[in-house]
Amino acid sequence: MGIHWYILSALFVILAQRYLFRYFGMRGVGYTRNFSVETCFEGDRIEMVERLANRKFVPVPWLRVESLLHTGLKFESDSNFAVSSGDIYQNHRSLFSLMGNKQLTRRHSVLATTRGCYRLTSASLTFGDLFGMFSSWRSVPLNVELLVYPQPADRSLIQLPSRSWQGDITVRRWIVEDPFYISGVREYRPGDSFRSVNWSATARTGSLQVHRRDFTADYRLIVLLNVEDHAGMWEVVNNPELIEEGIRYAAAIMQYATEQGMETAFACNGHELDQPGEIMKVERGSGSEHLHHLYGKLAKLVIARALPFDAMIEQLSAEWEERCDIVLISAFMSEPIEREMAKLRSAGHSVDWLRIAGAEEVAAG
């Protein structure tokens, strides 16, 4: 009789806990996941933070969290964090156990190895009872985005064209008189406005004197990036790493131009992550905020041709009414591209080609 009682009691406990955890196990349980930063550069080490909260007295015996993420983020080994990695995506799993009215935070070290936009849209939560008699799952929506900016290329490795927007600016191009910058006085010349007369200097010298205004240059730079890695390319890029290097070139040039106080625009015949089929175009701007906007666009750039490079130049050139410095970043040069460059020069623009060097060329140099 005693043994039967123990068996019946054990069965009752097992069944009771099964129904208890089945109907109350996930009530009051919340799960969130995010990154320690919203933006970073290639090669930066950041953290992915998981938070689990149990807001009821019934414990959570075990909870497994699974989700997919691109392999561009490399996770360190962790006893509570298993990673199964493929060529493009990796599946990672976390195992939790939490008492009632408790919360738990885990931090996982992540190395951002590749430029890109990494999004966490959902996670799958699998839970069950103490004895594994049942298990169930539910999907938790997430809205997390990490932008990994391209690491600007080493400027010493880039053969930049010799233009006025580099180094110490000594040659002024497209010079215009600045009405707010007065550097002295000079003799009146026919055509000078009487509003510019310096009456104090005129009275002192006995001859008509006008304000001498200094000159400033209006610097405008347009960076054009070609995602085609060879002439005659259709849709598929054979050497994506070569184009990634071109993206780093673009980041370095735009960073340098911003430091020089130039207004910078950008266009590429690839497309943005959320706008397939459309070329990427960023209007002219200046300052650090505009530079980070450019970095964000580069992070979301998809290396897939939306338009032939020469066709993109022809399409955009009609919008460039003011003369600009234009830098073409491309792995190759072709006759159609050369024709478009000649048209730009005839319109008064300064145009240069910056060839993307492969890894073997950089090493040899």
Side-chain angles (χ1 to χ4, degrees):
M1 185 68 180
I3 296 177
H4 294 116
W5 172 252
Y6 284 121
I7 293 174
L8 290 174
S9 298
L11 289 175
F12 175 78
V13 170
I14 291 173
L15 292 174
Q17 66 85 34
R18 178 182 184 273
Y19 286 104
L20 176 68
F21 291 121
R22 180 172 183 177
Y23 292 105
F24 297 100
M26 289 301 291
R27 293 188 182 183
V29 175
Y31 175 81
T32 61
R33 174 185 291 187
N34 61 353
F35 294 102
S36 57
V37 296
E38 295 181 353
T39 63
C40 67
F41 285 90
E42 287 178 304
D44 287 351
R45 191 173 297 280
I46 61 173
E47 288 184 327
M48 190 184 77
V49 183
E50 293 184 293
R51 292 184 175 89
L52 179 67
N54 185 11
R55 303 182 184 89
K56 65 180 187 310
F57 72 93
V58 178
V60 179
W62 63 270
L63 175 68
R64 185 173 66 246
V65 182
E66 298 179 271
S67 62
L68 287 176
L69 197 61
H70 197 277
T71 55
L73 298 180
K74 299 297 183 184
F75 291 86
E76 292 185 341
S77 60
D78 192 307
S79 58
N80 293 310
F81 193 73
V83 178
S84 300
S85 183
D87 293 333
I88 300 177
Y89 290 99
Q90 55 188 325
N91 180 62
H92 38 84
R93 303 180 299 278
S94 293
L95 188 63
F96 295 89
S97 179
L98 196 62
M99 298 299 294
N101 297 314
K102 297 290 183 180
Q103 60 181 6
L104 177 65
T105 300
R106 285 182 182 164
R107 299 179 181 273
H108 308 281
S109 182
V110 181
L111 179 64
T113 62
T114 308
R115 169 200 68 87
C117 175
Y118 299 92
R119 290 170 175 167
L120 301 176
T121 58
S122 66
S124 176
L125 275 58
T126 304
F127 58 95
D129 64 349
L130 288 168
F131 299 99
M133 293 189 64
F134 95 98
S135 64
S136 185
W137 71 277
R138 75 180 191 191
S139 180
V140 176
L142 302 172
N143 185 22
V144 181
E145 180 177 278
L146 172 69
L147 292 180
V148 178
Y149 297 157
Q151 185 65 47
D154 186 345
R155 295 173 195 165
S156 64
L157 301 178
I158 303 177
Q159 297 298 318
L160 291 172
S162 178
R163 292 294 171 193
S164 61
W165 50 271
Q166 299 177 59
D168 296 326
I169 301 174
T170 57
V171 179
R172 301 293 188 179
R173 301 180 62 248
W174 308 319
I175 299 175
V176 293
E177 192 176 73
D178 189 340
F180 300 101
Y181 190 22
I182 300 172
S183 60
V185 295
R186 60 172 175 79
E187 291 281 347
Y188 173 83
R189 293 195 295 261
D192 288 336
S193 171
F194 278 99
R195 289 181 297 180
S196 64
V197 173
N198 186 319
W199 297 107
S200 297
T202 297
R204 185 173 60 253
T205 61
S207 61
L208 201 59
Q209 302 288 311
V210 296
H211 294 297
R212 183 172 64 196
R213 305 184 189 278
D214 209 343
F215 295 87
T216 58
D218 186 11
Y219 293 101
R220 295 175 290 269
L221 177 66
I222 300 175
V223 178
L224 304 178
L225 174 64
N226 186 9
V227 298
E228 300 166 312
D229 59 356
H230 63 279
M233 193 194 88
W234 287 89
E235 296 293 335
V236 179
V237 177
N238 295 333
N239 190 351
E241 185 51 43
L242 186 66
I243 307 305
E244 289 290 346
E245 188 66 15
I247 294 172
R248 298 183 189 105
Y249 282 13
I253 292 175
M254 292 188 290
Q255 179 189 57
Y256 186 76
T258 300
E259 293 171 356
Q260 298 299 313
M262 296 183 64
E263 289 189 337
T264 309
F266 173 75
C268 176
N269 60 336
H271 66 83
E272 191 172 337
L273 180 62
D274 300 316
Q275 297 177 329
E278 299 181 17
I279 64 171
M280 178 176 286
K281 183 174 67 172
V282 181
E283 298 296 335
R284 197 172 68 203
S286 61
S288 59
E289 185 174 342
H290 180 66
L291 179 62
H292 282 276
H293 176 64
L294 289 167
Y295 284 160
K297 289 292 186 179
L298 291 178
K300 292 184 176 182
L301 176 61
V302 177
I303 302 178
R305 191 186 73 175
L307 196 67
F309 193 52
D310 58 288
M312 184 193 75
I313 298 173
E314 183 180 18
Q315 175 180 306
L316 295 178
S317 59
E319 305 174 9
W320 302 330
E321 297 179 355
E322 300 173 309
R323 291 177 295 177
C324 303
D325 278 316
I326 301 175
V327 176
L328 277 63
I329 303 176
S330 176
F332 66 93
M333 182 55 62
S334 65
E335 290 185 6
I337 296 176
E338 287 181 335
R339 284 196 299 268
E340 294 304 322
M341 291 176 65
K343 292 179 184 178
L344 291 173
R345 292 191 180 105
S346 65
H349 301 291
S350 167
V351 188
D352 286 283
W353 169 39
L354 177 58
R355 181 171 175 267
I356 306 172
E360 66 282 354
E361 296 174 88
V362 172

